[in-house]
Amino acid sequence: MTSPRLIPQSDPPLPPWQTLPTMYDLPSDNPEEPGLPDDFHFLQPLLLYFTFQPSNWNSELIYSAADLNLYYDVQHPLWYKRPDWFGVVGVPKLYNERDLRLSYVTWQERVNPFVVVELLSPGTEEEDLGTKKTETGKPPTKWEVYERILRVPYYIVFSRYTNEIRAFQLVGGHYEPMNFTEGRLQMPELSLSLGLWQGSFRDIERLWLRWFTLEGKLIPAPTEEAAAATERAMIAEQQAAQAKRKAEQLAERLRQLGVNPDEID
């Protein structure tokens, strides 16, 4: 009879958090499809979604989405990419103005994305930055789809690890690196600029990618708008209280001088 195989143990046994794989050993990425969402891949697109507000477009014709299948080739209708975030102008928020989208199908929408943002992951860097070439018989890479098929005017790649932005603009049918103006990427067709902001979003302090006006003014997210409204109300209340105190002080001074303030017109 074969004796049972013993699993080596320390004496005393080490706790699980010292012996089992950690978050860094077990990332959320699917090895078959790298780049699937983690916490950052949820929060960063959410901030872009909240602050994507092109002021020169009807708000009813502005659409953006995160981690949504984007179908791009009518000849290969099952081929798709899944941008971390993309923005479109000229289409309603709801498909046919009545349905939440299950995907974005370009031959139905007839409007391609105007800007795409990819969040760099170690497993997707080559494809995101255009250094990976299409393999024979397989779908084209993201870079090739955005540049040559969809002809997306602006393509942005942001790394949470280095806080580096790599930005490209479609010029003559090819992506060319964009220049920064005062630390931001200008997109005059949208009356927007895109840049980095150090601050707290959803109570998490870090460097975030977010939308600004062309002049560099922050476009507030809903929670920030509420906080700003509360702050304005508090300031107005303080100013009213100060004005009341000054009026009371003036009235008291008049009484000391023998003047009844109630009889003054």
PDB file of all heavy atoms in Angstrom, residues 190-223:
ATOM      1  N   LEU A 190     -14.679  69.561 -30.852  1.00  0.00           N
ATOM      2  CA  LEU A 190     -15.558  69.217 -29.738  1.00  0.00           C
ATOM      3  C   LEU A 190     -15.656  70.341 -28.701  1.00  0.00           C
ATOM      4  O   LEU A 190     -16.399  70.211 -27.724  1.00  0.00           O
ATOM      5  CB  LEU A 190     -15.057  67.951 -29.035  1.00  0.00           C
ATOM      6  CG  LEU A 190     -14.943  66.683 -29.880  1.00  0.00           C
ATOM      7  CD1 LEU A 190     -14.271  65.573 -29.079  1.00  0.00           C
ATOM      8  CD2 LEU A 190     -16.307  66.231 -30.370  1.00  0.00           C
ATOM      9  N   SER A 191     -14.879  71.408 -28.914  1.00  0.00           N
ATOM     10  CA  SER A 191     -14.746  72.465 -27.902  1.00  0.00           C
ATOM     11  C   SER A 191     -14.289  71.874 -26.568  1.00  0.00           C
ATOM     12  O   SER A 191     -14.712  72.306 -25.490  1.00  0.00           O
ATOM     13  CB  SER A 191     -16.061  73.232 -27.705  1.00  0.00           C
ATOM     14  OG  SER A 191     -16.306  74.059 -28.816  1.00  0.00           O
ATOM     15  N   LEU A 192     -13.412  70.881 -26.646  1.00  0.00           N
ATOM     16  CA  LEU A 192     -12.902  70.201 -25.462  1.00  0.00           C
ATOM     17  C   LEU A 192     -11.386  70.049 -25.549  1.00  0.00           C
ATOM     18  O   LEU A 192     -10.797  70.106 -26.630  1.00  0.00           O
ATOM     19  CB  LEU A 192     -13.518  68.810 -25.322  1.00  0.00           C
ATOM     20  CG  LEU A 192     -15.013  68.697 -25.029  1.00  0.00           C
ATOM     21  CD1 LEU A 192     -15.432  67.231 -25.025  1.00  0.00           C
ATOM     22  CD2 LEU A 192     -15.363  69.350 -23.702  1.00  0.00           C
ATOM     23  N   SER A 193     -10.791  69.825 -24.388  1.00  0.00           N
ATOM     24  CA  SER A 193      -9.406  69.396 -24.330  1.00  0.00           C
ATOM     25  C   SER A 193      -9.310  68.260 -23.317  1.00  0.00           C
ATOM     26  O   SER A 193     -10.176  68.121 -22.443  1.00  0.00           O
ATOM     27  CB  SER A 193      -8.476  70.558 -23.951  1.00  0.00           C
ATOM     28  OG  SER A 193      -8.817  71.095 -22.686  1.00  0.00           O
ATOM     29  N   LEU A 194      -8.279  67.465 -23.441  1.00  0.00           N
ATOM     30  CA  LEU A 194      -8.113  66.277 -22.594  1.00  0.00           C
ATOM     31  C   LEU A 194      -6.765  66.369 -21.896  1.00  0.00           C
ATOM     32  O   LEU A 194      -5.751  66.666 -22.536  1.00  0.00           O
ATOM     33  CB  LEU A 194      -8.182  65.012 -23.448  1.00  0.00           C
ATOM     34  CG  LEU A 194      -8.204  63.661 -22.739  1.00  0.00           C
ATOM     35  CD1 LEU A 194      -9.481  63.494 -21.920  1.00  0.00           C
ATOM     36  CD2 LEU A 194      -8.082  62.523 -23.754  1.00  0.00           C
ATOM     37  N   GLY A 195      -6.756  66.134 -20.591  1.00  0.00           N
ATOM     38  CA  GLY A 195      -5.493  66.232 -19.866  1.00  0.00           C
ATOM     39  C   GLY A 195      -5.550  65.492 -18.547  1.00  0.00           C
ATOM     40  O   GLY A 195      -6.558  64.875 -18.189  1.00  0.00           O
ATOM     41  N   LEU A 196      -4.447  65.574 -17.815  1.00  0.00           N
ATOM     42  CA  LEU A 196      -4.341  64.916 -16.519  1.00  0.00           C
ATOM     43  C   LEU A 196      -4.729  65.874 -15.405  1.00  0.00           C
ATOM     44  O   LEU A 196      -4.470  67.074 -15.470  1.00  0.00           O
ATOM     45  CB  LEU A 196      -2.909  64.403 -16.305  1.00  0.00           C
ATOM     46  CG  LEU A 196      -2.452  63.284 -17.243  1.00  0.00           C
ATOM     47  CD1 LEU A 196      -1.008  62.903 -16.952  1.00  0.00           C
ATOM     48  CD2 LEU A 196      -3.351  62.064 -17.121  1.00  0.00           C
ATOM     49  N   TRP A 197      -5.342  65.306 -14.383  1.00  0.00           N
ATOM     50  CA  TRP A 197      -5.820  66.077 -13.239  1.00  0.00           C
ATOM     51  C   TRP A 197      -5.514  65.301 -11.970  1.00  0.00           C
ATOM     52  O   TRP A 197      -5.859  64.120 -11.863  1.00  0.00           O
ATOM     53  CB  TRP A 197      -7.324  66.313 -13.378  1.00  0.00           C
ATOM     54  CG  TRP A 197      -8.015  66.825 -12.165  1.00  0.00           C
ATOM     55  CD1 TRP A 197      -7.947  68.089 -11.645  1.00  0.00           C
ATOM     56  CD2 TRP A 197      -8.897  66.090 -11.301  1.00  0.00           C
ATOM     57  NE1 TRP A 197      -8.728  68.183 -10.524  1.00  0.00           N
ATOM     58  CE2 TRP A 197      -9.330  66.980 -10.297  1.00  0.00           C
ATOM     59  CE3 TRP A 197      -9.369  64.770 -11.301  1.00  0.00           C
ATOM     60  CZ2 TRP A 197     -10.198  66.583  -9.282  1.00  0.00           C
ATOM     61  CZ3 TRP A 197     -10.242  64.374 -10.300  1.00  0.00           C
ATOM     62  CH2 TRP A 197     -10.645  65.277  -9.304  1.00  0.00           C
ATOM     63  N   GLN A 198      -4.837  65.949 -11.035  1.00  0.00           N
ATOM     64  CA  GLN A 198      -4.579  65.339  -9.733  1.00  0.00           C
ATOM     65  C   GLN A 198      -5.720  65.688  -8.807  1.00  0.00           C
ATOM     66  O   GLN A 198      -5.965  66.866  -8.514  1.00  0.00           O
ATOM     67  CB  GLN A 198      -3.258  65.859  -9.148  1.00  0.00           C
ATOM     68  CG  GLN A 198      -2.903  65.280  -7.778  1.00  0.00           C
ATOM     69  CD  GLN A 198      -2.520  63.805  -7.848  1.00  0.00           C
ATOM     70  OE1 GLN A 198      -1.778  63.399  -8.742  1.00  0.00           O
ATOM     71  NE2 GLN A 198      -3.013  63.002  -6.915  1.00  0.00           N
ATOM     72  N   GLY A 199      -6.449  64.692  -8.374  1.00  0.00           N
ATOM     73  CA  GLY A 199      -7.577  64.969  -7.505  1.00  0.00           C
ATOM     74  C   GLY A 199      -8.259  63.700  -7.053  1.00  0.00           C
ATOM     75  O   GLY A 199      -7.806  62.579  -7.323  1.00  0.00           O
ATOM     76  N   SER A 200      -9.376  63.879  -6.357  1.00  0.00           N
ATOM     77  CA  SER A 200     -10.123  62.754  -5.790  1.00  0.00           C
ATOM     78  C   SER A 200     -11.386  62.511  -6.610  1.00  0.00           C
ATOM     79  O   SER A 200     -12.215  63.413  -6.755  1.00  0.00           O
ATOM     80  CB  SER A 200     -10.494  63.044  -4.331  1.00  0.00           C
ATOM     81  OG  SER A 200     -11.256  61.984  -3.789  1.00  0.00           O
ATOM     82  N   PHE A 201     -11.503  61.312  -7.128  1.00  0.00           N
ATOM     83  CA  PHE A 201     -12.716  60.881  -7.819  1.00  0.00           C
ATOM     84  C   PHE A 201     -13.194  59.603  -7.162  1.00  0.00           C
ATOM     85  O   PHE A 201     -12.431  58.644  -7.009  1.00  0.00           O
ATOM     86  CB  PHE A 201     -12.439  60.646  -9.305  1.00  0.00           C
ATOM     87  CG  PHE A 201     -13.624  60.120 -10.073  1.00  0.00           C
ATOM     88  CD1 PHE A 201     -14.778  60.886 -10.207  1.00  0.00           C
ATOM     89  CD2 PHE A 201     -13.603  58.847 -10.654  1.00  0.00           C
ATOM     90  CE1 PHE A 201     -15.878  60.405 -10.901  1.00  0.00           C
ATOM     91  CE2 PHE A 201     -14.690  58.361 -11.353  1.00  0.00           C
ATOM     92  CZ  PHE A 201     -15.830  59.137 -11.477  1.00  0.00           C
ATOM     93  N   ARG A 202     -14.458  59.603  -6.743  1.00  0.00           N
ATOM     94  CA  ARG A 202     -15.034  58.486  -5.981  1.00  0.00           C
ATOM     95  C   ARG A 202     -14.163  58.176  -4.752  1.00  0.00           C
ATOM     96  O   ARG A 202     -13.911  57.019  -4.414  1.00  0.00           O
ATOM     97  CB  ARG A 202     -15.190  57.241  -6.852  1.00  0.00           C
ATOM     98  CG  ARG A 202     -16.290  57.367  -7.911  1.00  0.00           C
ATOM     99  CD  ARG A 202     -17.648  57.548  -7.233  1.00  0.00           C
ATOM    100  NE  ARG A 202     -18.769  57.394  -8.136  1.00  0.00           N
ATOM    101  CZ  ARG A 202     -19.398  58.374  -8.766  1.00  0.00           C
ATOM    102  NH1 ARG A 202     -18.988  59.622  -8.596  1.00  0.00           N
ATOM    103  NH2 ARG A 202     -20.430  58.144  -9.544  1.00  0.00           N
ATOM    104  N   ASP A 203     -13.678  59.264  -4.125  1.00  0.00           N
ATOM    105  CA  ASP A 203     -12.874  59.180  -2.902  1.00  0.00           C
ATOM    106  C   ASP A 203     -11.522  58.497  -3.118  1.00  0.00           C
ATOM    107  O   ASP A 203     -10.921  57.996  -2.157  1.00  0.00           O
ATOM    108  CB  ASP A 203     -13.639  58.464  -1.785  1.00  0.00           C
ATOM    109  CG  ASP A 203     -14.906  59.197  -1.392  1.00  0.00           C
ATOM    110  OD1 ASP A 203     -14.878  60.443  -1.398  1.00  0.00           O
ATOM    111  OD2 ASP A 203     -15.916  58.532  -1.095  1.00  0.00           O
ATOM    112  N   ILE A 204     -11.047  58.477  -4.350  1.00  0.00           N
ATOM    113  CA  ILE A 204      -9.734  57.904  -4.644  1.00  0.00           C
ATOM    114  C   ILE A 204      -8.853  59.005  -5.225  1.00  0.00           C
ATOM    115  O   ILE A 204      -9.170  59.573  -6.273  1.00  0.00           O
ATOM    116  CB  ILE A 204      -9.835  56.714  -5.619  1.00  0.00           C
ATOM    117  CG1 ILE A 204     -10.647  55.591  -4.973  1.00  0.00           C
ATOM    118  CG2 ILE A 204      -8.449  56.218  -6.012  1.00  0.00           C
ATOM    119  CD1 ILE A 204     -10.885  54.409  -5.859  1.00  0.00           C
ATOM    120  N   GLU A 205      -7.780  59.299  -4.535  1.00  0.00           N
ATOM    121  CA  GLU A 205      -6.863  60.357  -4.928  1.00  0.00           C
ATOM    122  C   GLU A 205      -5.764  59.782  -5.821  1.00  0.00           C
ATOM    123  O   GLU A 205      -5.064  58.847  -5.441  1.00  0.00           O
ATOM    124  CB  GLU A 205      -6.239  61.000  -3.688  1.00  0.00           C
ATOM    125  CG  GLU A 205      -5.224  62.088  -3.979  1.00  0.00           C
ATOM    126  CD  GLU A 205      -5.854  63.420  -4.344  1.00  0.00           C
ATOM    127  OE1 GLU A 205      -7.015  63.643  -3.958  1.00  0.00           O
ATOM    128  OE2 GLU A 205      -5.166  64.236  -4.996  1.00  0.00           O
ATOM    129  N   ARG A 206      -5.654  60.332  -7.015  1.00  0.00           N
ATOM    130  CA  ARG A 206      -4.596  59.921  -7.920  1.00  0.00           C
ATOM    131  C   ARG A 206      -4.602  60.870  -9.116  1.00  0.00           C
ATOM    132  O   ARG A 206      -5.354  61.863  -9.146  1.00  0.00           O
ATOM    133  CB  ARG A 206      -4.744  58.472  -8.392  1.00  0.00           C
ATOM    134  CG  ARG A 206      -6.009  58.176  -9.181  1.00  0.00           C
ATOM    135  CD  ARG A 206      -5.862  56.917 -10.042  1.00  0.00           C
ATOM    136  NE  ARG A 206      -4.979  57.160 -11.175  1.00  0.00           N
ATOM    137  CZ  ARG A 206      -3.873  56.475 -11.431  1.00  0.00           C
ATOM    138  NH1 ARG A 206      -3.502  55.502 -10.649  1.00  0.00           N
ATOM    139  NH2 ARG A 206      -3.131  56.748 -12.488  1.00  0.00           N
ATOM    140  N   LEU A 207      -3.762  60.562 -10.091  1.00  0.00           N
ATOM    141  CA  LEU A 207      -3.741  61.324 -11.333  1.00  0.00           C
ATOM    142  C   LEU A 207      -4.731  60.679 -12.295  1.00  0.00           C
ATOM    143  O   LEU A 207      -4.602  59.506 -12.651  1.00  0.00           O
ATOM    144  CB  LEU A 207      -2.326  61.311 -11.919  1.00  0.00           C
ATOM    145  CG  LEU A 207      -1.921  62.460 -12.846  1.00  0.00           C
ATOM    146  CD1 LEU A 207      -2.055  63.794 -12.143  1.00  0.00           C
ATOM    147  CD2 LEU A 207      -0.491  62.270 -13.328  1.00  0.00           C
ATOM    148  N   TRP A 208      -5.746  61.465 -12.712  1.00  0.00           N
ATOM    149  CA  TRP A 208      -6.803  60.969 -13.580  1.00  0.00           C
ATOM    150  C   TRP A 208      -6.748  61.654 -14.938  1.00  0.00           C
ATOM    151  O   TRP A 208      -6.340  62.812 -15.051  1.00  0.00           O
ATOM    152  CB  TRP A 208      -8.182  61.240 -12.977  1.00  0.00           C
ATOM    153  CG  TRP A 208      -8.457  60.594 -11.659  1.00  0.00           C
ATOM    154  CD1 TRP A 208      -8.357  61.165 -10.423  1.00  0.00           C
ATOM    155  CD2 TRP A 208      -8.904  59.247 -11.435  1.00  0.00           C
ATOM    156  NE1 TRP A 208      -8.714  60.267  -9.443  1.00  0.00           N
ATOM    157  CE2 TRP A 208      -9.046  59.082 -10.036  1.00  0.00           C
ATOM    158  CE3 TRP A 208      -9.198  58.178 -12.280  1.00  0.00           C
ATOM    159  CZ2 TRP A 208      -9.475  57.891  -9.469  1.00  0.00           C
ATOM    160  CZ3 TRP A 208      -9.622  56.987 -11.703  1.00  0.00           C
ATOM    161  CH2 TRP A 208      -9.760  56.843 -10.318  1.00  0.00           C
ATOM    162  N   LEU A 209      -7.214  60.951 -15.951  1.00  0.00           N
ATOM    163  CA  LEU A 209      -7.420  61.524 -17.278  1.00  0.00           C
ATOM    164  C   LEU A 209      -8.857  62.027 -17.337  1.00  0.00           C
ATOM    165  O   LEU A 209      -9.789  61.276 -17.031  1.00  0.00           O
ATOM    166  CB  LEU A 209      -7.185  60.453 -18.348  1.00  0.00           C
ATOM    167  CG  LEU A 209      -7.227  60.881 -19.816  1.00  0.00           C
ATOM    168  CD1 LEU A 209      -6.067  61.807 -20.142  1.00  0.00           C
ATOM    169  CD2 LEU A 209      -7.188  59.649 -20.717  1.00  0.00           C
ATOM    170  N   ARG A 210      -9.039  63.318 -17.723  1.00  0.00           N
ATOM    171  CA  ARG A 210     -10.393  63.844 -17.751  1.00  0.00           C
ATOM    172  C   ARG A 210     -10.507  64.965 -18.772  1.00  0.00           C
ATOM    173  O   ARG A 210      -9.517  65.494 -19.261  1.00  0.00           O
ATOM    174  CB  ARG A 210     -10.831  64.318 -16.370  1.00  0.00           C
ATOM    175  CG  ARG A 210     -10.109  65.547 -15.858  1.00  0.00           C
ATOM    176  CD  ARG A 210     -10.641  65.973 -14.505  1.00  0.00           C
ATOM    177  NE  ARG A 210     -12.022  66.415 -14.549  1.00  0.00           N
ATOM    178  CZ  ARG A 210     -12.795  66.553 -13.473  1.00  0.00           C
ATOM    179  NH1 ARG A 210     -12.340  66.264 -12.274  1.00  0.00           N
ATOM    180  NH2 ARG A 210     -14.038  66.974 -13.591  1.00  0.00           N
ATOM    181  N   TRP A 211     -11.768  65.330 -19.055  1.00  0.00           N
ATOM    182  CA  TRP A 211     -12.048  66.360 -20.039  1.00  0.00           C
ATOM    183  C   TRP A 211     -12.083  67.747 -19.393  1.00  0.00           C
ATOM    184  O   TRP A 211     -12.557  67.912 -18.268  1.00  0.00           O
ATOM    185  CB  TRP A 211     -13.387  66.090 -20.732  1.00  0.00           C
ATOM    186  CG  TRP A 211     -13.353  64.875 -21.597  1.00  0.00           C
ATOM    187  CD1 TRP A 211     -13.834  63.628 -21.293  1.00  0.00           C
ATOM    188  CD2 TRP A 211     -12.797  64.777 -22.906  1.00  0.00           C
ATOM    189  NE1 TRP A 211     -13.606  62.769 -22.330  1.00  0.00           N
ATOM    190  CE2 TRP A 211     -12.970  63.442 -23.349  1.00  0.00           C
ATOM    191  CE3 TRP A 211     -12.159  65.687 -23.762  1.00  0.00           C
ATOM    192  CZ2 TRP A 211     -12.542  63.003 -24.592  1.00  0.00           C
ATOM    193  CZ3 TRP A 211     -11.726  65.250 -24.999  1.00  0.00           C
ATOM    194  CH2 TRP A 211     -11.919  63.915 -25.404  1.00  0.00           C
ATOM    195  N   PHE A 212     -11.583  68.720 -20.171  1.00  0.00           N
ATOM    196  CA  PHE A 212     -11.600  70.133 -19.800  1.00  0.00           C
ATOM    197  C   PHE A 212     -12.239  70.899 -20.961  1.00  0.00           C
ATOM    198  O   PHE A 212     -12.397  70.388 -22.068  1.00  0.00           O
ATOM    199  CB  PHE A 212     -10.178  70.677 -19.614  1.00  0.00           C
ATOM    200  CG  PHE A 212      -9.372  70.021 -18.535  1.00  0.00           C
ATOM    201  CD1 PHE A 212      -8.818  68.754 -18.712  1.00  0.00           C
ATOM    202  CD2 PHE A 212      -9.121  70.683 -17.340  1.00  0.00           C
ATOM    203  CE1 PHE A 212      -8.043  68.162 -17.728  1.00  0.00           C
ATOM    204  CE2 PHE A 212      -8.347  70.104 -16.348  1.00  0.00           C
ATOM    205  CZ  PHE A 212      -7.814  68.843 -16.536  1.00  0.00           C
ATOM    206  N   THR A 213     -12.562  72.159 -20.706  1.00  0.00           N
ATOM    207  CA  THR A 213     -12.914  73.036 -21.822  1.00  0.00           C
ATOM    208  C   THR A 213     -11.647  73.338 -22.619  1.00  0.00           C
ATOM    209  O   THR A 213     -10.526  73.032 -22.178  1.00  0.00           O
ATOM    210  CB  THR A 213     -13.526  74.352 -21.322  1.00  0.00           C
ATOM    211  OG1 THR A 213     -12.517  75.082 -20.599  1.00  0.00           O
ATOM    212  CG2 THR A 213     -14.716  74.091 -20.415  1.00  0.00           C
ATOM    213  N   LEU A 214     -11.805  73.960 -23.771  1.00  0.00           N
ATOM    214  CA  LEU A 214     -10.631  74.340 -24.556  1.00  0.00           C
ATOM    215  C   LEU A 214      -9.726  75.283 -23.777  1.00  0.00           C
ATOM    216  O   LEU A 214      -8.499  75.274 -23.941  1.00  0.00           O
ATOM    217  CB  LEU A 214     -11.063  75.001 -25.869  1.00  0.00           C
ATOM    218  CG  LEU A 214     -11.432  74.075 -27.027  1.00  0.00           C
ATOM    219  CD1 LEU A 214     -11.891  74.891 -28.233  1.00  0.00           C
ATOM    220  CD2 LEU A 214     -10.264  73.172 -27.416  1.00  0.00           C
ATOM    221  N   GLU A 215     -10.338  76.114 -22.921  1.00  0.00           N
ATOM    222  CA  GLU A 215      -9.571  77.100 -22.162  1.00  0.00           C
ATOM    223  C   GLU A 215      -8.910  76.492 -20.927  1.00  0.00           C
ATOM    224  O   GLU A 215      -8.136  77.166 -20.243  1.00  0.00           O
ATOM    225  CB  GLU A 215     -10.483  78.254 -21.739  1.00  0.00           C
ATOM    226  CG  GLU A 215     -11.073  79.047 -22.898  1.00  0.00           C
ATOM    227  CD  GLU A 215     -12.186  78.305 -23.634  1.00  0.00           C
ATOM    228  OE1 GLU A 215     -12.834  77.423 -23.002  1.00  0.00           O
ATOM    229  OE2 GLU A 215     -12.407  78.601 -24.824  1.00  0.00           O
ATOM    230  N   GLY A 216      -9.227  75.234 -20.627  1.00  0.00           N
ATOM    231  CA  GLY A 216      -8.596  74.572 -19.496  1.00  0.00           C
ATOM    232  C   GLY A 216      -9.426  74.528 -18.232  1.00  0.00           C
ATOM    233  O   GLY A 216      -8.931  74.146 -17.165  1.00  0.00           O
ATOM    234  N   LYS A 217     -10.700  74.888 -18.317  1.00  0.00           N
ATOM    235  CA  LYS A 217     -11.567  74.820 -17.147  1.00  0.00           C
ATOM    236  C   LYS A 217     -12.081  73.403 -16.960  1.00  0.00           C
ATOM    237  O   LYS A 217     -12.498  72.750 -17.915  1.00  0.00           O
ATOM    238  CB  LYS A 217     -12.746  75.789 -17.314  1.00  0.00           C
ATOM    239  CG  LYS A 217     -13.676  75.841 -16.123  1.00  0.00           C
ATOM    240  CD  LYS A 217     -14.813  76.817 -16.360  1.00  0.00           C
ATOM    241  CE  LYS A 217     -15.783  76.850 -15.188  1.00  0.00           C
ATOM    242  NZ  LYS A 217     -16.913  77.788 -15.435  1.00  0.00           N
ATOM    243  N   LEU A 218     -12.073  72.936 -15.706  1.00  0.00           N
ATOM    244  CA  LEU A 218     -12.575  71.589 -15.415  1.00  0.00           C
ATOM    245  C   LEU A 218     -14.049  71.467 -15.765  1.00  0.00           C
ATOM    246  O   LEU A 218     -14.835  72.363 -15.476  1.00  0.00           O
ATOM    247  CB  LEU A 218     -12.395  71.253 -13.936  1.00  0.00           C
ATOM    248  CG  LEU A 218     -11.017  70.837 -13.433  1.00  0.00           C
ATOM    249  CD1 LEU A 218     -11.068  70.633 -11.930  1.00  0.00           C
ATOM    250  CD2 LEU A 218     -10.551  69.568 -14.120  1.00  0.00           C
ATOM    251  N   ILE A 219     -14.400  70.360 -16.391  1.00  0.00           N
ATOM    252  CA  ILE A 219     -15.815  70.030 -16.588  1.00  0.00           C
ATOM    253  C   ILE A 219     -16.206  69.114 -15.429  1.00  0.00           C
ATOM    254  O   ILE A 219     -15.685  68.004 -15.306  1.00  0.00           O
ATOM    255  CB  ILE A 219     -16.044  69.337 -17.936  1.00  0.00           C
ATOM    256  CG1 ILE A 219     -15.675  70.299 -19.075  1.00  0.00           C
ATOM    257  CG2 ILE A 219     -17.487  68.876 -18.071  1.00  0.00           C
ATOM    258  CD1 ILE A 219     -15.742  69.684 -20.443  1.00  0.00           C
ATOM    259  N   PRO A 220     -17.098  69.571 -14.551  1.00  0.00           N
ATOM    260  CA  PRO A 220     -17.356  68.812 -13.326  1.00  0.00           C
ATOM    261  C   PRO A 220     -18.168  67.550 -13.568  1.00  0.00           C
ATOM    262  O   PRO A 220     -19.060  67.516 -14.417  1.00  0.00           O
ATOM    263  CB  PRO A 220     -18.129  69.810 -12.449  1.00  0.00           C
ATOM    264  CG  PRO A 220     -18.787  70.731 -13.428  1.00  0.00           C
ATOM    265  CD  PRO A 220     -17.841  70.838 -14.590  1.00  0.00           C
ATOM    266  N   ALA A 221     -17.836  66.533 -12.797  1.00  0.00           N
ATOM    267  CA  ALA A 221     -18.668  65.332 -12.728  1.00  0.00           C
ATOM    268  C   ALA A 221     -19.862  65.636 -11.832  1.00  0.00           C
ATOM    269  O   ALA A 221     -19.845  66.609 -11.074  1.00  0.00           O
ATOM    270  CB  ALA A 221     -17.856  64.162 -12.182  1.00  0.00           C
ATOM    271  N   PRO A 222     -20.932  64.824 -11.892  1.00  0.00           N
ATOM    272  CA  PRO A 222     -22.141  65.115 -11.100  1.00  0.00           C
ATOM    273  C   PRO A 222     -21.877  65.318  -9.616  1.00  0.00           C
ATOM    274  O   PRO A 222     -22.436  66.236  -9.005  1.00  0.00           O
ATOM    275  CB  PRO A 222     -23.019  63.886 -11.355  1.00  0.00           C
ATOM    276  CG  PRO A 222     -22.608  63.411 -12.701  1.00  0.00           C
ATOM    277  CD  PRO A 222     -21.135  63.675 -12.786  1.00  0.00           C
ATOM    278  N   THR A 223     -21.036  64.493  -9.003  1.00  0.00           N
ATOM    279  CA  THR A 223     -20.757  64.651  -7.575  1.00  0.00           C
ATOM    280  C   THR A 223     -20.042  65.964  -7.302  1.00  0.00           C
ATOM    281  O   THR A 223     -20.256  66.606  -6.275  1.00  0.00           O
ATOM    282  CB  THR A 223     -19.913  63.479  -7.060  1.00  0.00           C
ATOM    283  OG1 THR A 223     -18.751  63.330  -7.900  1.00  0.00           O
ATOM    284  CG2 THR A 223     -20.705  62.188  -7.076  1.00  0.00           C
TER     285      THR A 223
END
